[in-house]
Structure formats: structure tokens, C-alpha cells
Amino acid sequence: LVIRYTQNQGADTRWLFHGVDINGTVCDETYPSDPPKAYTMWPYPLLYDIMLCTDSCNHTQTDARMVSTYRSELVLDAWCLPLESSVISEFDAEWDSVSNSLNRATADVVVSQSMLYASVFVALLFCFAYLGYIGSCGGIVIWLTIILSIFGGAAIGYALISQSAEVLAMGWHVTGNIMKYTGWTLSTITALFALGIVFMRSRIQLAIKVIKEAAKALESIPLIVFFPFLCSVLALAYFAFWCVGALHVYSVAVFRTYELPDNLAFGVINLQEKLGQTHYVVDEFDKEMREILWVHIFGLFWVFQFIVYFCYAVMAHVFSGWYFAAADDADADGGGGDGKKVRGSEINEFPRHPILHGVWTILRYHLGTVAFGAFIVAVVKFINAVLTYLQSKAAKKNNPIATAIFACVKCC
């Protein structure tokens, strides 16, 4: 809908990737000349909005309309960017930094892609190994960690208290008191922690059982590990589509005419005489499209949250279906077993294709719930993003009161 609406408003993405000359003509392959003047150059680089179309970047040194000639190079198959250091310092700093960053990032990804693939494989391997370990030894690991934490806290507290006496005897009263009070504080916290463990031992046992059941479920449905990757691919695909829509919104331009300056460099340069006309055309973003852009940005938040919570709902459906499904004979007592469930299409049976069944169930019965929940989260995140943007603006203007107000509002 956004793309169709912006097309009706005259959206033209060409001027986002190509320059527009002083007559309002886009410098691309459709330029009415032979050969077409598909590249953009600046007759006076210090005036960025004043552009000319050319068929070769060599013309930045030979064209009679150039106020100051300079060497240039073709960038992105559209722009003749200056190479002269004196010009770059005034004009090309942002181009240089952005292009270099992109080149470095791309090179890093290409060089390290084999390492990335190997890391993913090793991570998945360790994931399944850890699940098997937790499923069989989870209780031992958790209780051993708790016991070591209690003994470690008590040992450190005792060491600080005992050593503080020697430090005080040496005359280092500040350091000794800090060690003593820190030791007593740590000992007190450790004692409270141990006391809490005693009263919460039944809940800890329940948590251990939950962890073991989760490990059994993952062992029973190993493909569920890859489902978040599918969700990520879906989110990236939507983001690519959203970027296309955003480009269409931003490409709705209005062409405004301004007078060429006739008094540059203290009257030495008359740009009107140099270019043979008195006015030039600039393409600018149509500010009336700001409302559409805000709606489009909110749509990004909403759809992203929808994808996230749709995936959460599917995984919750799969795991809850596994938990409540009838166990086979080995698990009939409800306590032991290897986590296998009776497979089938009956009410108390676990589906043969649980992920596909979960996707279908959420699409068929719970899509509205997911959409409504995602809408609420999107509203909150959108407001937070707007406040963050306004807070950054206030910080740049050195307004501490406004910055403090925005920080307080974000905490609410």
C-alpha cells in the first residue's frame, strides 16, 4: 500500500542514487543526450546542491563550466567525487568515511566467512552436547554450583575479616576497615543466601525437573533449534521489503528553483555567467510525506514484533504439546524415561510434525491474539524510540533539563 501510494504521488527512486543537474534532469542512462550523461559532477564543490551531468569524470578537469577544476573518480557508477585533498577536506569527508567503513565491513565478512560457518557448526554441536549433559546431570551441576557459591562466599568473607586485623595492626586503618566491613557484608549475604536455599529447596528441585524436561523436549524435537533461524530469515526478508517502501516514500521529491550566486570568492567568480543561466533546480524531500514515513516506521515495529511473538507462540505450542502429550510405556510413571511421547493425531498424542502443526495452529486460531499483542509492544517500543531520538537531539543542544526530562519519561 505504501509503495502504491508513493508511486501515485510521483515517487522516483532514481534521484536517490543519481544526481540532478541545474535544470532538474536526473543524471542517469535516460539523460537526453548521446552518449547519455549518466554521471554527476560539481562545478563548484563547496556548493553541494549545484550539480552538472557528464558522460565522463575526466570532464571535471576540462569542462568550461567548472569553476575550479579537480581530479575525480567514479563512485557507485554515478558520482564523480573529488580526489584533491583540499577539496576532500571540505566536501568528501562523509563519503570517504562511509565508503571506507562499508568496504572494510564487506572485506571482513568475506575473509572470515569460513570461520563464521565453522563457529555456527561448533555452537550447534556444543548446544546438543550440553542439552544431553543437562538432561542427565542437571541436578548435580546446579546443586554443586550452589554449594561452591556458598563455600566460596564464606571463604572470601573469612579471609577478608582475618586479614583486616593484620592490616589494621600495620597502621592502614582505611584499608583495614574497608576489608573488615566488606568481609562481614559478604559473610552476611552468603549466610542469607544459604538460609534462602534451605527454605527454597523444594522450588529448586522443581526448577531442576523443569530444566531436565526442557532438555528432553529439545532432544525429542531437535529441529526446533533451527526454527529461530527461519524466523530471522523472515524478519530480514520483511526488512528488505520495508527498505524498498522507505526508499519510495523518501523518493517523493519536490523540485524547487533557487537563484545561482553571482558573487563567489569575494566577487571574483560569477556562477551565473559560468553556467549560462541565473537559476538552478534542487530536488528535495516532500515534507508532506513525513506522516506517511512515520506510519511506515511504526509498521516496521509492528511487523517485527509480530514475527517475534509469532515464533514465540509456535515454540510455546510445540513445547506445551510435548509436555502434555501421553508418554510411552517407559515414561508412564511420569518421572523417568527418555522423554519419548506417543506420536499421532489424537488429542493426547504428540504430532508427528510438531513444528508444522504449531505453525498451522497459531495461524488458524491465534493470529489475532499475536497481532494484538505485537501491536501493544510496538506502540511502547515506538514511543521509546521517539523519546530516544528527542533525547539525543536535546543532548546535542546541551539542554540538560530536557535531557533529564526525557530520561525520566523513558523510565516510566
Side-chain angles (χ1 to χ4, degrees):
L1 292 177
V2 171
I3 294 176
R4 179 62 60 86
Y5 176 78
T6 53
Q7 288 177 343
N8 293 335
Q9 298 297 316
D12 187 356
T13 56
R14 294 183 304 159
W15 70 268
L16 295 177
F17 306 100
H18 300 271
V20 177
D21 71 1
I22 57 177
N23 296 312
T25 306
V26 178
C27 304
D28 65 356
E29 296 298 331
T30 64
Y31 192 89
S33 66
D34 188 20
K37 298 179 179 181
Y39 311 131
T40 304
M41 64 181 182
W42 289 263
Y44 189 62
L46 299 185
L47 297 179
Y48 180 84
D49 289 337
I50 302 176
M51 307 176 189
L52 296 175
C53 296
T54 182
D55 57 6
S56 172
C57 287
N58 293 329
H59 291 167
T60 58
Q61 303 179 71
T62 60
D63 197 302
R65 298 172 296 173
M66 299 295 293
V67 174
S68 58
T69 59
Y70 53 85
R71 294 181 300 110
S72 64
E73 65 175 348
L74 184 63
V75 175
L76 300 177
D77 199 32
W79 308 90
C80 298
L81 296 188
L83 290 175
E84 306 291 344
S85 58
S86 59
V87 178
I88 291 176
S89 61
E90 298 290 338
F91 168 81
D92 203 32
E94 293 186 6
W95 279 86
D96 185 65
S97 61
V98 172
S99 61
N100 284 341
S101 298
L102 290 175
N103 289 338
R104 286 194 297 268
T106 304
D108 290 343
V109 171
V110 172
V111 170
S112 61
Q113 59 181 345
S114 58
M115 186 178 297
L116 292 175
Y117 296 148
S119 299
V120 171
F121 175 77
V122 172
L124 290 175
L125 185 64
F126 273 101
C127 176
F128 285 109
Y130 181 74
L131 289 175
Y133 174 70
I134 289 296
S136 58
C137 307
I140 298 176
V141 172
I142 293 174
W143 280 115
L144 184 62
T145 302
I146 293 174
I147 293 173
L148 289 177
S149 299
I150 294 175
F151 277 102
I156 295 174
Y158 174 77
L160 288 172
I161 295 172
S162 60
Q163 292 295 323
S164 65
E166 298 180 7
V167 174
L168 289 171
M170 296 172 61
W172 296 351
H173 298 287
V174 175
T175 303
N177 286 328
I178 291 176
M179 292 177 62
K180 181 175 67 174
Y181 294 133
T182 302
W184 280 112
T185 301
L186 183 59
S187 300
T188 303
I189 293 175
T190 303
L192 293 175
F193 176 73
L195 188 62
I197 293 299
V198 172
F199 287 104
M200 297 179 63
R201 60 186 183 278
S202 60
R203 291 182 177 272
I204 294 174
Q205 290 285 4
L206 178 61
I208 293 173
K209 291 182 179 179
V210 171
I211 293 174
K212 288 185 175 181
E213 289 301 307
K216 291 180 182 178
L218 285 173
E219 291 177 359
S220 180
I221 323 163
L223 291 179
I224 197 67
V225 175
F226 299 97
F227 186 69
F229 292 98
L230 180 61
C231 298
S232 300
V233 171
L234 181 62
L236 289 175
Y238 170 73
F239 182 70
F241 176 75
W242 182 89
C243 289
V244 173
L247 289 175
H248 276 77
V249 173
Y250 197 71
S251 66
V252 179
V254 292
F255 292 85
R256 292 188 170 88
T257 302
Y258 298 96
E259 185 177 1
L260 283 168
D262 58 357
N263 186 12
L264 294 176
F266 303 101
V268 176
I269 301 173
N270 189 325
L271 203 55
Q272 294 183 5
E273 294 181 357
K274 198 72 174 177
L275 299 179
Q277 58 190 70
T278 59
H279 294 79
Y280 68 99
V281 176
V282 176
D283 52 325
E284 299 177 353
F285 174 61
D286 188 354
K287 295 182 179 180
E288 294 182 359
M289 297 299 295
R290 285 180 176 175
E291 291 78 9
I292 301 298
L293 187 59
W294 282 115
V295 172
H296 192 55
I297 294 174
F298 177 76
L300 174 67
F301 281 87
W302 191 1
V303 176
F304 257 71
Q305 295 304 315
F306 176 83
I307 294 174
V308 169
Y309 286 98
F310 177 83
C311 295
Y312 285 168
V314 170
M315 296 179 69
H317 180 273
V318 171
F319 283 110
S320 62
W322 178 89
Y323 184 81
F324 290 105
D328 61 9
D329 293 338
D331 290 345
D333 58 355
D338 55 5
K340 293 183 178 179
K341 300 289 184 175
V342 178
R343 298 276 183 153
S345 57
E346 299 298 328
I347 295 178
N348 293 327
E349 295 176 345
F350 191 53
R352 300 185 184 278
H353 305 286
I355 299 177
L356 294 178
H357 184 269
V359 171
W360 163 250
T361 302
I362 301 302
L363 288 174
R364 176 66 178 84
Y365 299 104
H366 306 289
L367 199 61
T369 303
V370 174
F372 182 71
F375 175 79
I376 295 175
V377 176
V379 169
V380 175
K381 289 185 174 292
F382 181 75
I383 294 174
N384 183 69
V386 172
L387 291 175
T388 301
Y389 172 76
L390 296 177
Q391 184 180 9
S392 64
K393 287 289 188 179
K396 290 180 180 180
K397 294 182 179 180
N398 296 323
N399 190 337
I401 297 178
T403 303
I405 292 175
F406 283 123
C408 293
V409 172
K410 286 178 61 179
C411 292
C412 297

